[in-house]
Amino acid sequence: MAVGVTGAYERMLTVAVAALHERDPARLWPMVAAALPGLCGGEALIYKLGEWTDRTGAMGLSPAAAAHLGRIDDEAMAVLRRGYPFADHYVTAGAARRPGTAHRMAGKGWADSRMAGTISRLMDADHVLAVPLPGTDTPVTGALVYRAGADFTEDHVRAAEMIQPLLAGVEQQRQLLERWRATQTPPEIPEDCRLTPRQVTVLLLLADALTASAIAHRLGISVRTVHKHVESLYRKLGTRDRVSTVLRAQEIGLLPPRTGR
């Protein structure tokens, strides 16, 4: 049974806080995938962080989905990747990325669709709820939540809408941590200079010369919180301004050296 809308948001907030303390970007979405289905009235989940096509990109699975899809043929995987009817819907809807169910988007055609037959055969599910990430350009980037029996209710959809911004924040954190991990050289960082994952993301954005307001908007936090993170960076790195902070971070290997343009 799904928790109430407010309860779902509170539980997802707990997951989001845990994600902000996670240093390994590869663990962020599996953490979300384990919690999200139950918060939206579902039983299993597939998430996709790139363009949802029948050929490109990897898909991540909740534990329940992984149990069902341990052995899946290429043809069935292609059907799942096509994301019917969501890909067509979000292309038509333009920038609108509101969560919605397959039945409401496809109408009577959903029950007889190839996708409905595939998820019934593979996952013992009858309905799908899409929770796309807001602000993306590709047809579907986000999560698909599955359930058997009756369709998702309006409360389930509202819970998904409340959770959407938190998912966007987790994805933003994942991208920044991936960027940091890919570009830094293995440093011998002094113990007192070790940064939290959130401080790392703020440091990366400081290096891009973003203002405190721009960083707050990008990360979905207050300007006051950004200033607190910046003060912590100054204290840990022994600096007094942004330029010296970025230079110090490059010197000790927290950031890659800036190359000439």
Side-chain angles (χ1 to χ4, degrees):
M1 180 180 296
V3 297
V5 173
T6 302
Y9 186 81
E10 291 175 347
R11 285 178 55 184
M12 197 62 207
L13 183 60
T14 300
V15 174
V17 170
L20 293 179
H21 289 84
E22 175 57 57
R23 292 180 178 275
D24 184 353
R27 296 183 61 182
L28 293 179
W29 271 93
M31 186 186 306
V32 169
L36 183 57
L39 302 182
C40 298
E43 298 152 4
L45 175 146
I46 292 175
Y47 62 88
K48 184 75 165 59
L49 303 180
E51 184 176 0
W52 206 302
T53 74
D54 59 353
R55 294 183 181 276
T56 61
M59 298 194 305
L61 309 174
S62 70
H68 284 292
L69 300 180
R71 295 180 180 178
I72 180 172
D73 58 72
D74 291 342
E75 182 179 357
M77 179 60 81
V79 173
L80 290 178
R81 285 180 181 277
R82 290 186 190 114
Y84 172 84
F86 304 111
D88 292 341
H89 171 81
Y90 290 119
V91 167
T92 302
R97 290 292 190 271
R98 295 187 61 197
T101 70
H103 179 75
R104 290 168 197 172
M105 291 182 187
K108 295 180 179 179
W110 166 248
D112 296 326
S113 68
R114 190 177 181 189
M115 175 68 83
T118 297
I119 67 167
S120 176
R121 175 171 60 87
L122 293 176
M123 303 177 67
D124 296 324
D126 303 298
H127 297 281
V128 192
L129 169 64
V131 191
L133 292 181
T136 54
D137 296 325
T138 53
V140 181
T141 300
L144 296 180
V145 184
Y146 300 84
R147 67 175 286 157
D151 197 5
F152 293 87
T153 67
E154 288 296 336
D155 279 347
H156 296 146
V157 176
R158 281 195 294 271
E161 289 176 346
M162 293 183 71
I163 288 167
Q164 256 187 317
L166 296 179
L167 298 183
V170 168
E171 174 57 11
Q172 180 72 46
Q173 181 82 349
R174 184 191 70 82
Q175 292 179 13
L176 288 168
L177 287 176
E178 287 279 13
R179 172 182 159 192
W180 179 64
R181 175 168 288 193
T183 57
Q184 76 170 145
T185 55
E188 288 294 331
I189 301 172
E191 185 65 32
D192 57 357
C193 292
R194 299 290 173 88
L195 306 182
T196 68
R198 185 50 112 188
Q199 288 167 354
V200 167
T201 60
V202 171
L203 177 62
L204 285 165
L205 297 177
L206 282 180
D208 286 342
L210 269 67
T211 65
S213 295
I215 293 172
H217 178 75
R218 180 79 66 88
L219 299 179
I221 59 180
S222 70
V223 174
R224 181 181 177 186
T225 299
V226 172
H227 285 309
K228 287 183 177 180
H229 287 310
V230 172
E231 289 170 3
S232 295
L233 289 170
Y234 289 173
R235 184 177 65 256
K236 288 187 174 183
L237 299 181
T239 55
R240 296 183 178 180
D241 56 56
R242 293 181 175 219
V243 173
S244 61
T245 298
V246 171
L247 292 175
R248 174 60 175 157
Q250 292 171 344
E251 178 185 343
I252 66 175
L254 287 170
L255 290 174
R258 179 71 70 180
T259 57
R261 299 190 180 189

